[in-house]
Amino acid sequence: MKPFNQKAKITLVGAGPGDPELLTLKGLRALQTADVILYDSLANPALLEHNQHAKKVFVGKRKGWQRYSQAEINSLLLDFARFNYHVVRLKGGDPMVFGRAMEEIETAREHGIEVEVVPGISSYSGMAAYHQLPITQRGISRSFWVMTGTNKDGRLSNDIAIAAASSATVIILMGMSKLPEIVELFTQHKSNDYPVSIVQNATRPDARVLTGQLDNIMALNAIAQLGSPGLLVFGAAANKLDAVTAHLTAQNVLA
Ligand code: SAH
């Protein structure tokens, strides 16, 4: 146990996208020096084994309960910091990418608690590497967008329509439940054979990848049933998946 006069600190640590080896050395050190670790369902629980002594608090979706609200998580962070603890908030992927990190950082700042952020490998970047999907490629895709499928008010973001009109690779997080609307939007701007992929559980042993195009991805996924957590990829990159990566295509899904 640490002496009680130790200064409180909150560290937001990027847990990476799933494979527990995709943690930075800095993230590992933060985990090892934590007194308490707050984690949710996207962080691989294997990462908790790096620290046998810390208290571990699950702040994800509780069975039969509502998900912890951001306000509840913020107040837990403060409660633990009041014990002069080093509090690690372990977050899936990179904390600064759709991770509501800023609300936790501001909570710490408002109370004068030291706060540090350790980056992590985001799900889109882990997916691109493990499935050899070139989110940029010379002469084919010159930029990429990483966007959310779900706005604060639960609606589709207007940015998706702008992205759909571009030639960029478009990667959508939190979009699985909005797949029909998103495909519909792309159909207004692109031809029916425009490539689409879905990657579920990227970088994990149980990863599943489905490749199709605008006019068949809905039907293919009605059979393959890929779900959360999943990434949607639109654009030429989506059909460049490495052949050795186990994945589902129209041929084998319909076979
Ligand atoms: N900070 C995270 C994103 C949090 S939002 C990051 O940098 O990746 C949660 C969304 O991330 C999920 O709905 C899903 O779209 C995506 N996601 C996270 N981990 C994933 C994984 N292993 N495979 C596929 N999608 C993932």
Side-chain angles (χ1 to χ4, degrees):
M1 265 288 172
K2 288 187 168 172
F4 247 83
N5 59 2
Q6 159 101 28
K7 203 172 160 289
K9 182 176 175 182
I10 296 173
T11 311
L12 275 52
V13 175
D19 181 341
E21 294 201 336
L22 294 179
L23 175 76
T24 63
L25 281 178
K26 217 179 181 77
L28 175 64
R29 297 230 166 85
L31 279 178
Q32 286 170 336
T33 58
D35 297 299
V36 56
I37 303 170
L38 271 58
Y39 67 102
D40 48 48
S41 39
L42 280 178
N44 192 320
L47 295 173
L48 302 174
E49 288 163 23
H50 289 302
N51 187 328
Q52 301 299 324
H53 307 291
K55 297 171 184 54
K56 285 120 189 172
V57 183
F58 179 70
V59 292
K61 208 175 223 161
R62 294 164 288 189
K63 221 175 179 180
W65 287 70
Q66 280 267 308
R67 175 187 286 279
Y68 272 83
S69 70
Q70 189 60 49
E72 281 177 295
I73 296 174
N74 294 348
S75 81
L76 272 180
L77 288 171
L78 289 180
D79 290 347
F80 285 119
R82 275 195 195 102
F83 290 122
N84 286 321
Y85 277 173
H86 177 205
V87 188
V88 163
R89 172 73 174 103
L90 188 62
K91 299 170 85 75
D94 183 286
M96 305 307 277
V97 177
F98 300 121
R100 301 189 70 172
M102 218 45 222
E103 288 154 75
E104 296 172 5
I105 294 169
E106 276 164 1
T107 301
R109 284 183 187 161
E110 278 160 19
H111 292 81
I113 299 161
E114 183 188 347
V115 58
E116 186 185 346
V117 184
V118 179
I121 295 176
S122 186
S123 52
Y124 75 85
S125 153
M127 171 279 293
Y130 276 40
H131 300 291
Q132 301 185 9
L133 184 150
I135 50 182
T136 65
Q137 194 179 2
R138 266 171 78 99
I140 298 176
S141 43
R142 291 158 201 86
S143 65
F144 61 92
W145 297 54
V146 174
M147 25 202 351
T148 174
T150 316
N151 262 355
K152 191 163 67 132
D153 52 10
R155 287 207 313 254
L156 274 193
S157 146
N158 282 341
D159 286 351
I160 298 181
I162 304 171
S166 79
S167 61
T169 304
V170 179
I171 302 165
I172 301 182
L173 280 68
M174 295 175 279
M176 291 301 293
S177 63
K178 297 258 178 357
L179 184 63
E181 293 101 306
I182 295 170
V183 167
E184 167 58 30
L185 254 180
F186 272 84
T187 306
Q188 291 169 20
H189 297 277
K190 296 286 186 269
S191 58
N192 287 341
D193 61 354
Y194 200 65
V196 189
S197 285
I198 304 176
V199 184
Q200 179 185 7
N201 292 330
T203 81
R204 293 181 186 251
D206 57 353
R208 296 179 78 211
V209 182
L210 174 68
T211 347
Q213 53 187 47
L214 284 180
D215 66 359
N216 69 13
I217 195 76
M218 291 295 303
L220 294 177
N221 202 41
I223 300 168
Q225 298 271 326
L226 270 62
S228 267
L231 299 163
L232 307 174
V233 186
F234 293 83
N239 65 6
K240 294 261 168 190
L241 283 155
D242 175 43
V244 299
T245 306
H247 74 276
L248 306 161
T249 60
Q251 279 97 336
N252 55 32
V253 169
L254 301 176

